[in-house]
Amino acid sequence: MAAVGNSSRTAAEGTARVLGDRFGRRFPYLRLSLTEACNFRCGYCLPDGYQADGRPRFLEVDEIVRLVRAFAALGMHKIRLTGGEPTLRRDLGQIIDAVARVPGIDKVAITTNGTLLPRRLPGWRAAGLTALNVSMDSLQRERFHAITGHDRLPEILQGIDLAQALRFESIKLNVVLLRGLNDEELPQWLVFLRDRPVSVRFIELMRTGDNEAYFQRHHLRAEQMQAQLLAAGWTERPRAADAGPAREYTHPDHRGSVGIIAPYARDFCRGCNRLRVTARGDLRLCLFGESGVPLRPLLQSDADHDELLERITTQLGLKAAGHGLHQGRTGLVPHLASIGG
Ligand code: SAM
């Protein structure tokens, strides 16, 4: 069975107990997918758009609250809402409010393509959203359109300005590195970061069940970007013992920072600090795992709380040391929208 041991979190983050596994990793962080649906058509994820498959509906608010209460009881303090595109849920404000009220949860983050930010962000902030990740694969409008299938960059940039005005604790921009499509934009990003206190995360393209040809054409190792940053005077921030898998770089002349997420790096899984639950309530121990454990049957009544804790901790005992991406094993995931990227 997985341990529920004392956390290695800093004093500022509290002394709550945090879930841990047999490899000494701690899991203060849950990624919860709210939907598999997405309104974008990113070439590496859903190039033909989302196709509904008629299977059971996504978790409802009361199920989400029971789930989050269970993870909070096991020491998790941060929830990231993702998808699919989580902002497509009409009840998103209600979900944020309910999750933010769960005792022990002090960070409620979202990963979004950002198209609804200008209209909806103030309401979500007021409901308890504390951190924002926005996917933005290019700073050039035409390219952004070509990669995502949508000409929406101007309003996404507007949403990021709004997030700064609303004083979010953390604003991160996700850029999937794509050979031949957006791989020479680093200088432009560094200018963007000069006066904006945001973090740009360059994410190495991952191979999934559906994207093999795209992966072969556009995959690029992130190491070359690290070399460019070092040459431009950026330095790597020392990594905290419980830091996630990103390597962070800063520069004294820039208010923003750069993160590199390199899932094909050998030590990547050593920094794993998150678990995932799919939009239909399956616990996934790894983005690229071969199995999912249904939690939904235990989310129908408060009476199942203890059994739910037991199921989660027992499963965590089975979490593997690393993913099988190097061996070409992509697990159950046809694309990241299906699990919550
Ligand atoms: N729809 C939301 C969004 O656009 O941010 C959340 C879900 S999306 C699956 C989460 C993140 O995963 C996005 O930043 C997306 O670019 C990234 N992503 C999707 N497929 C990927 C892949 N094969 N490799 C690397 N990143 C991927």
Side-chain angles (χ1 to χ4, degrees):
M1 177 181 291
V4 183
N6 281 327
S7 160
S8 58
R9 286 191 280 146
T10 62
E13 289 175 304
T15 53
R17 288 143 56 87
V18 172
L19 270 174
D21 74 0
R22 61 200 158 119
F23 303 104
R25 295 174 296 196
R26 301 281 167 197
F27 301 94
Y29 173 18
L30 175 69
R31 287 195 171 203
L32 172 60
S33 176
L34 298 182
T35 177
E36 291 167 9
C38 189
N39 52 344
F40 268 28
R41 296 194 306 271
C42 299
Y44 47 81
C45 190
L46 289 173
D48 303 320
Y50 170 69
Q51 319 287 332
D53 64 5
R55 289 193 297 140
R57 289 165 37 133
F58 306 126
L59 294 178
E60 305 283 352
V61 181
D62 56 345
E63 295 173 307
I64 290 172
V65 169
R66 290 194 187 101
L67 180 85
V68 173
R69 275 197 204 128
F71 278 101
L74 293 170
M76 281 205 172
H77 68 108
K78 172 175 172 183
I79 305 289
R80 174 173 300 287
L81 306 173
T82 181
E85 175 47 45
T87 64
L88 295 182
R89 290 270 309 231
R90 287 178 193 279
D91 54 358
L92 180 60
Q94 203 188 337
I95 294 171
I96 292 169
D97 180 70
V99 168
R101 284 173 195 276
V102 172
I105 299 300
D106 58 12
K107 290 195 172 104
V108 184
I110 196 167
T111 301
T112 171
N113 61 30
T115 52
L116 289 181
L117 295 179
R119 258 186 291 157
R120 307 281 301 276
L121 197 58
W124 297 333
R125 179 76 171 121
L129 193 66
T130 61
L132 185 68
N133 278 30
V134 183
S135 301
M136 231 176 92
D137 289 339
S138 178
L139 273 172
Q140 298 179 24
R141 185 169 174 171
E142 298 286 304
R143 279 189 182 173
F144 181 91
H145 187 172
I147 295 168
T148 64
H150 287 265
D151 181 19
R152 307 289 289 270
L153 185 61
E155 63 220 83
I156 294 167
L157 287 168
Q158 205 186 325
I160 291 162
D161 288 344
L162 179 59
Q164 281 179 246
L166 290 170
R167 301 192 172 280
F168 271 80
E169 283 170 16
S170 144
I171 304 172
K172 293 176 184 164
L173 308 180
N174 291 351
V175 182
V176 180
L177 260 182
L178 300 168
R179 178 152 50 100
L181 294 179
N182 67 1
D183 52 344
E184 32 58 83
E185 282 188 41
L186 184 62
Q188 208 179 331
W189 278 110
L190 297 187
V191 171
F192 183 89
L193 290 174
R194 195 172 278 272
D195 297 315
R196 290 182 179 83
V198 303
S199 173
V200 173
R201 304 314 203 60
F202 292 101
I203 305 173
E204 203 171 312
L205 178 64
M206 289 175 265
R207 186 175 145 196
T208 61
D210 281 359
N211 75 3
E212 182 164 1
Y214 192 96
F215 178 85
Q216 297 304 343
R217 242 189 342 270
H218 297 298
H219 176 251
L220 177 71
R221 293 299 296 258
E223 277 89 351
Q224 54 115 21
M225 184 152 276
Q226 295 176 11
Q228 287 178 57
L229 283 169
L230 297 177
W234 290 66
T235 47
E236 187 175 349
R237 213 180 252 163
R239 279 160 76 81
D242 57 352
R247 292 181 174 275
E248 286 279 346
Y249 296 80
T250 56
H251 189 291
D253 299 338
H254 295 256
R255 292 183 72 200
S257 60
V258 175
I260 306 254
I261 301 183
Y264 292 88
R266 283 284 158 197
D267 61 350
F268 183 73
C269 297
R270 269 217 310 268
C272 184
N273 64 351
R274 72 273 320 260
L275 298 175
R276 290 183 160 81
V277 172
T278 68
R280 297 174 207 271
D282 281 4
L283 174 65
R284 295 284 176 87
L285 301 173
C286 170
L287 190 50
F288 296 102
E290 306 282 347
S291 62
V293 178
L295 301 180
R296 197 167 200 176
L298 299 176
L299 299 176
Q300 306 313 308
S301 157
D302 292 341
D304 291 327
H305 180 78
D306 289 347
E307 199 179 328
L308 182 57
L309 301 191
E310 180 66 26
R311 187 169 296 184
I312 295 168
T313 51
T314 302
Q315 285 307 314
L316 193 53
L318 305 176
K319 186 168 163 67
H323 58 55
L325 283 179
H326 296 108
Q327 295 79 38
R329 287 203 310 272
T330 55
L332 294 178
V333 178
H335 45 71
L336 262 53
S338 69
I339 182 173

